Amino acid sequence: MRAFNAELSKLFSLPSIWLAFLIGAFGPAVIAALDSIAEKEEIIAGVSTRLSEVGYIGLALGVQGVIILGVLAVSSEYLTESSESGGGQQITTSLTVVSSRLHLLLAKAGAVTVISILLCVVAIMTTLSATHLVLGEYTPAFEWSKLIGAVCYWTFTALLAFGITVLTKNGIIPLAVLIINTSVVSFSFLLSKVTKLAFYLPDRAGAEMFMFTSDRFHTPFTGGLVMFAWVVVLFIVAAIVFHRRDVAS
């Protein structure tokens, strides 16, 4: 628990973490508000076909906040400090204080999990408020099961970003790949048009926990299990690599 509390303290001390909080807390609300404006026009015109999806799109696209969180939790350890501070890396100090590498990794993952859950809860509140503000009486009823699915999706995505960064030690590659995949173009969605195996990729399966998809392949529960399995496997691989890695390399 001391290591967990220390990891929470370190995360909150990072200047970049506030960008993650800002994007995670208000990004989904902005997207939901814009989508609600467009949907309200369709409602008035009598051509609305996706009212039930409003809000969830914002939660799906606003996941970048926890991606940044998961990446920063690891990449910040490998940043070279200034010459005045000795030019070392935080990871050396962390492993000196917490002798067990597995404990350090679990503490970091725990901190990322807790913050991701709290951030998603805040995002849900801001998204619901923005949707109701725009749609008023037309606001659809949000299902608790799907909101819980969104929380799981955010948490698992943060842990995937965390695990990938443990393997790469550098945050640029995970940030670029994951943010592009969740905002610009979904590689798994494109692959799903070619092979059904793509439905077992983590983001594609996880999205079915709360998103409305015309080509649904998994139930929400099964989609969550598939994404969770990816998280577990990646964490095991990351733990093995981290245990065997030479910190100085």
Side-chain angles (χ1 to χ4, degrees):
M1 288 303 298
R2 288 195 298 269
F4 170 74
N5 291 331
E7 291 304 322
L8 282 177
S9 178
K10 281 196 291 184
L11 278 175
F12 282 110
S13 69
L14 297 174
S16 302
I17 203 68
W18 300 107
L19 174 62
F21 292 160
L22 184 64
I23 294 175
F26 299 104
V30 172
I31 297 171
L34 294 174
D35 189 36
S36 297
I37 292 173
E39 186 61 22
K40 190 172 185 178
E41 294 177 354
E42 293 184 3
I43 293 173
I44 295 174
V47 295
S48 175
T49 58
R50 56 179 188 83
L51 181 60
S52 58
E53 300 177 19
V54 173
Y56 295 106
I57 294 177
L59 292 174
L61 296 178
V63 75
Q64 288 88 353
V66 292
I67 291 175
I68 297 174
L69 168 67
V71 170
L72 281 177
V74 179
S75 63
S76 60
E77 294 280 355
Y78 293 96
L79 292 177
T80 303
E81 299 175 351
S82 63
S83 56
E84 290 80 2
S85 303
Q89 295 178 325
Q90 177 65 39
I91 187 64
T92 304
T93 304
S94 297
L95 289 176
T96 301
V97 176
V98 184
S99 57
S100 170
R101 296 195 178 197
L102 180 59
H103 288 174
L104 177 63
L105 210 59
L106 288 173
K108 282 186 172 294
V112 169
T113 298
V114 169
I115 296 177
S116 297
I117 293 173
L118 294 177
L119 188 56
C120 188
V121 170
V122 173
I124 288 173
M125 294 172 61
T126 59
T127 299
L128 293 178
S129 299
T131 304
H132 187 270
L133 182 65
V134 175
L135 292 179
E137 60 179 319
Y138 300 114
T139 304
F142 286 83
E143 301 177 32
W144 280 106
S145 60
K146 293 189 179 299
L147 294 179
I148 293 174
V151 173
C152 292
Y153 180 74
W154 277 46
T155 305
F156 294 161
T157 300
L159 292 174
L160 287 173
F162 172 86
I164 294 172
T165 312
V166 171
L167 298 177
T168 63
K169 296 199 302 182
N170 188 298
I172 297 177
I173 295 176
L175 275 178
V177 173
L178 293 174
I179 288 181
I180 290 175
N181 186 63
T182 55
S183 60
V184 181
V185 56
S186 173
F187 304 119
S188 59
F189 176 78
L190 295 177
L191 286 174
S192 67
K193 303 300 180 182
V194 179
T195 172
K196 290 188 179 298
L197 292 177
F199 287 100
Y200 290 93
L201 291 174
D203 59 321
R204 187 66 177 82
E208 296 196 348
M209 286 190 285
F210 66 102
M211 286 294 291
F212 298 81
T213 55
S214 57
D215 55 348
R216 177 176 292 277
F217 190 81
H218 302 288
T219 64
F221 181 74
T222 304
L225 282 180
V226 172
M227 193 175 189
F228 179 70
W230 276 93
V231 171
V232 171
V233 171
L234 181 60
F235 186 85
I236 292 173
V237 173
I240 294 173
V241 171
F242 186 64
H243 180 73
R244 296 180 176 179
R245 175 179 291 155
D246 181 2
V247 176
S249 62

